[in-house]
Amino acid sequence: MKIVNAMVGSLLLAAVPLAAQAEDMSYRYLQLGYLDTEIDGSSENADGFGTRGSFAFANNFFVFTEISKQEVSSIDIDQYAVGLGGHYPLATNLDLVGRIGWAKIEADAGGGFSADDTGYLAGVGVRAKVGENVQLEAGVIHVDYGSGSDDTGVELAARYHFNRNWAAGLEYQSTGDLSTTMAAVRYSFGK
């Protein structure tokens, strides 16, 4: 937990001097990206594609959705999440962001084997737009699928905005035995 606190603190300190130069951040977007997941204890990585979306409403709230489809060793792994989030400005272009939602994971190996678990996710972090084109995020996430299958981890993201609508970025999430990297393109619809 000390590492997470240090990362969040460093992001806050780095963002504050440059925050006044940036524009408002959008909580209305669609994102598509390539995923690569390292699984502790496995010599193979899962890979595939994922989408994310967010729609802002009532000034400080948004609904979100996430879908990913990956494969490893002929096993299909699908993950889904949908929920509600909120953001609170800590400074110009520096937001405290929280979200909570429903989450599901499905695994299918063919030949009659399949498994799925349903639960929830909850996360909190900071989001900052630094300078004219760079956006950074850092946070803590907890995912619980029930039956003792729960993990807490970190989320990190960096995006470069080509203009008001288009951005490309890298995201990293580590929870339990899974470490996922996503290279993505995002289209923002405005605030």
Side-chain angles (χ1 to χ4, degrees), residues 44-45 70-77 107-111 113:
E44 295 185 59
N45 289 4
Q70 297 184 78
E71 183 179 343
V72 60
S73 300
S74 300
I75 300 172
D76 294 326
I77 303 168
D108 184 2
F113 170 78

Side-chain angles (χ1 to χ4, degrees), residues 7 12 14 26 37 48 50 60 64-65 78-79 82-83 95-96 113 126 131 147 151 160 166 168 178 180:
M7 288 188 307
L12 286 169
S26 173
T37 300
N60 290 46
F64 69 90
T65 184
D78 299 338
Q79 291 181 280
V82 62
D95 286 356
L96 177 66
F113 170 78
V126 292
S147 305
D151 288 303
Y160 181 83
W166 290 99
L178 305 176
T180 302

Side-chain angles (χ1 to χ4, degrees), residues 29-30 35 49-55 62-69 77-85 99-106 117-123 141-145 155 173:
Y29 62 82
L30 290 175
L35 297 163
F49 291 91
T51 63
R52 294 187 179 171
S54 177
F55 183 78
F62 59 91
V63 291
F64 69 90
T65 184
E66 299 177 3
I67 299 170
S68 70
K69 296 188 174 290
I77 303 168
D78 299 338
Q79 291 181 280
Y80 308 92
V82 62
L84 178 66
R99 61 190 183 125
I100 188 164
W102 169 86
K104 181 173 184 165
I105 187 168
E106 297 176 343
D117 285 314
T118 303
Y120 72 91
L121 66 82
I141 185 169
H142 179 79
V143 181
D144 189 336
Y145 291 114
E155 294 182 304
Q173 183 183 85

